Amino acid sequence: MAFKRYLFKNLWLQVVISLMAGLGVGLLLGDEVGLGLDGDALDAMSSYLKIPANIFLSVILMIIVPLIFASIVVAITNLGAKEKLKTLGLGIGVYFVITTTIAILIAITLASIIAPGNILDLTALQETHDLSEDDLRVTEGFSLEDIPETVSSIIPRNPIVSYLEGQMFSILIMAVIVGLSMATLPKDSIKPLLDLLESIQRITLHILLMAMKIVPFAVFGLIVSLVAKVGAETMAGLGVYMVTVILGLGAMLLVYATIIRLVAKRPVSFTFSRFRNPQTLAFSTASSMATMPMTLKTAEEDLKLDTRVSKFVIPLGTTVNMDGTALYQVIAVFFLAQLFAIELSLLSVLVIIVTSLLASIGTPAVPGAGTVVLSTILITVGIPPVGILLLLSVDRILDMIRTMVNVTGDLTASCAFDRITRSKN
Ligand code: ASP
């Protein structure tokens, strides 16, 4: 009875059970140990199994733009006291850049020492993926020409288009601009909009929390399809590459533990145990965006953080702070460079650092996005983007782990800034 109650209250446990069940059923249906259903039958089955996951994602996408916009505007407006806003706004920007740079440096170190791409044989992969010589052509990379264009288009000229197309970064910039001006205007002139945004925030959060109820089913469907389709053998082929990424992500968790101890001044294992719900959800949905309501809830209810801090840092971090993604992207670039025998000059390494920093900021917090954005980095460095095909078979697994790290990074940042802003009071 007690277990039943515990199970009902703890989403992470429901998710873990779904993961296990999905793993078992997936193995049973796949061709390595189980029934060996053929590709068509598996496709048909997984399209049904994925219904709960698709419904869940649709609810998220339906609600996420107003939620992010409202959360950031309300948070900035409520931070009110200018000193606090300055500490938080500037500080958090610098903090995000520093932690992402640490993630990138860890990735470069590991990828250079382990050199996962030197172990694999390109021709074998070429055959299994049916790639032509043309696909594999190494191109001239790196052009500085795109920079002015990108910088000039940061501010959305047409916010409606950004809304309709779900361009999160533009929406974020607009939310910051609106929030900053609302914070400086007299209270009575902004009250109507503030009230409206606050109720939008409450309603959308409520919808999302209700949608969480189908997560265990969504997870089950996703895992069954994944395990049945990508057998263990494919994964083993890219094993060293996967191990490199996982080691890097593990190192990043150690960095967070240090920040929690030294900056947030909280007990590490106790704090990490509070992260469990959003971490399991991030792991199973592979989307920091889908996890955001749970991340916010954990920050406010379990960690008891200042809600003005959490309501600012979490939506912002979810959108722009992706240490796990940056780390994965850099290891993937090195892996492919090694595989295609491309010498990376110091300049190329610098370009990789800058582009992956920007790319992780621009990566949408949804499943697989990091891999799509990876193609931009590859083109910039001159590596054939078709290389991504080689990584796709194991991508979902790495996506699950890096998303968990992304969410842990946002929670760690919130704990750190909760401490920093409190001690400034
Ligand atoms: N799935 C990741 C996230 O939502 C993004 C990525 O693909 O790296 O955080």
Side-chain angles (χ1 to χ4, degrees), residues 140-212:
E140 248 334 285
F142 186 39
S143 104
L144 286 168
E145 284 153 27
D146 296 338
I147 294 179
E149 166 73 29
T150 323
V151 176
S152 331
S153 56
I154 278 184
I155 298 202
R157 285 194 186 170
N158 188 340
I160 311 270
V161 172
S162 311
Y163 258 80
L164 293 180
E165 292 183 358
Q167 299 161 350
M168 291 321 289
F169 193 63
S170 308
I171 294 166
L172 201 94
I173 299 281
M174 187 167 124
V176 171
I177 296 175
V178 174
L180 284 177
S181 47
M182 282 173 67
T184 42
L185 286 170
K187 273 257 160 356
D188 46 346
S189 60
I190 58 160
K191 192 164 181 324
L193 183 57
L194 189 62
D195 287 346
L196 177 68
L197 290 174
E198 272 172 351
S199 65
I200 291 182
Q201 193 186 22
R202 248 177 253 136
I203 297 166
T204 44
L205 264 177
H206 183 74
I207 297 178
L208 286 176
L209 288 176
M210 282 191 319
M212 292 290 172

Side-chain angles (χ1 to χ4, degrees), residues 6 24-25 40 53 92 157 194 201 223 232 250 257 292-293 295 304 309-311 346-347 351 356 370 399 401 404:
Y6 187 73
V25 176
D40 287 345
I92 201 73
R157 285 194 186 170
L194 189 62
Q201 193 186 22
I223 297 296
M292 198 183 87
T295 319
K304 308 262 180 289
V309 172
S310 60
K311 285 216 163 62
L346 193 63
L347 178 68
V351 173
S356 51
D399 195 4
I401 309 176
M404 193 189 87

Side-chain angles (χ1 to χ4, degrees), residues 285-290 318 322 324-326 328-329 363-372 395 399-400 402-404 406-407:
T285 57
S287 165
S288 335
M289 197 74 94
T318 303
M322 296 193 190
T325 301
Y328 146 81
Q329 285 169 336
T363 302
V366 295
T371 316
V372 177
D395 191 61
D399 195 4
M400 291 157 82
R402 68 180 184 252
T403 307
M404 193 189 87
N406 289 343
V407 169

